[in-house]
Amino acid sequence: MTSVDIIIVAAGSGLRYGAPLPKQYCELGGRPVVMHTINALRAAIPHARLTLVISSEMADLWQDFCLKHNFVSPAVVYGGSTRWESVRNALSAADRPADIVMVHDAVRPLVSRQLVDMLMDALSSDPDVDGAIPAVAVTDSLRMQLGDGLSKSIDRSSMRAVQTPQAFRGYRLRQAYDLPYRDSFTDDASVMEAAGFGNLKLTEGSSHNIKITNPGDIAIAEVLMKLNKEQ
């Protein structure tokens, strides 16, 4: 059986969300967002080894939430000041990387088994693929800002909006995270590319796989959860 590690990144402060707590701890359907995320990934790959990366300042709060909701936490690793550092800490905590390592945002609680299966299929069907990334077509018109208030249009037909989880060959992802930090590391795929592992396959993302970022996103997630249950 292919071994799988899943790193769930939940160490962010969530300042843009504007809530008293980081958004991953805000209530969705009666429990914190991150608990829905963990359960969705456990259901998608039951044999996977999960690691939850949280801020050390939130350790007691997370323990309290787990007790309150009778929830079994995955192994916990403390994050750093950047997402890159948080993922690196999780990779370093493992004695060795699994065959496949997925990295997922804690604030995408509606990830589906179908989406995860497509990532696994992309890696298992082609040994030359370094990683697989879910993405959706861009529907808004795009313009590039040129400065002084000027801009130009961009053809959106070749553009894709990237989601998580992103899945990679475990040993290659670990090698990639040996690189020093760069500001251009916006996600794990960008780290892989910088390390020379650029054979990254796009798989079909989902419009339901939203990232809770702004006020109002919790309400949208609740509607989508209801729709998913009715289907």
Side-chain angles (χ1 to χ4, degrees), residues 6 36-46 102 104-105 107-121 134-136 163-166 203-210 224-225 227-229 231:
I6 303 178
H36 293 279
T37 305
I38 293 168
N39 282 341
L41 292 170
R42 282 173 168 163
I45 310 182
M102 293 188 182
H104 188 54
D105 298 320
V107 290
R108 290 188 187 270
L110 301 180
V111 57
S112 68
R113 181 168 189 164
Q114 180 183 13
L115 186 150
V116 172
D117 284 346
M118 283 190 285
L119 295 173
M120 295 290 291
D121 290 344
V136 294
Q163 300 179 337
T164 67
Q166 298 179 2
T203 62
E204 191 66 32
S206 169
S207 60
H208 284 202
N209 186 27
I210 65 169
L224 292 174
M225 283 176 61
L227 289 173
N228 290 344
K229 289 179 180 179
Q231 291 178 352

Side-chain angles (χ1 to χ4, degrees), residues 84-172:
W84 171 86
E85 188 176 354
S86 293
V87 175
R88 189 183 64 169
N89 288 355
L91 289 169
S92 298
D95 52 354
R96 61 178 179 81
D99 298 326
I100 294 175
V101 177
M102 293 188 182
V103 185
H104 188 54
D105 298 320
V107 290
R108 290 188 187 270
L110 301 180
V111 57
S112 68
R113 181 168 189 164
Q114 180 183 13
L115 186 150
V116 172
D117 284 346
M118 283 190 285
L119 295 173
M120 295 290 291
D121 290 344
L123 287 168
S124 63
S125 62
D126 187 348
D128 293 326
V129 170
D130 295 318
I133 308 164
V136 294
V138 176
T139 56
D140 292 332
S141 296
L142 298 176
R143 298 193 67 83
M144 178 183 292
Q145 186 171 330
L146 302 176
D148 297 326
L150 301 176
S151 65
K152 68 175 182 179
S153 63
I154 297 175
D155 180 9
R156 72 185 180 195
S157 63
S158 62
M159 298 294 174
R160 295 294 182 270
V162 170
Q163 300 179 337
T164 67
Q166 298 179 2
F168 308 96
R169 306 288 177 196
Y171 72 96
R172 291 177 183 168

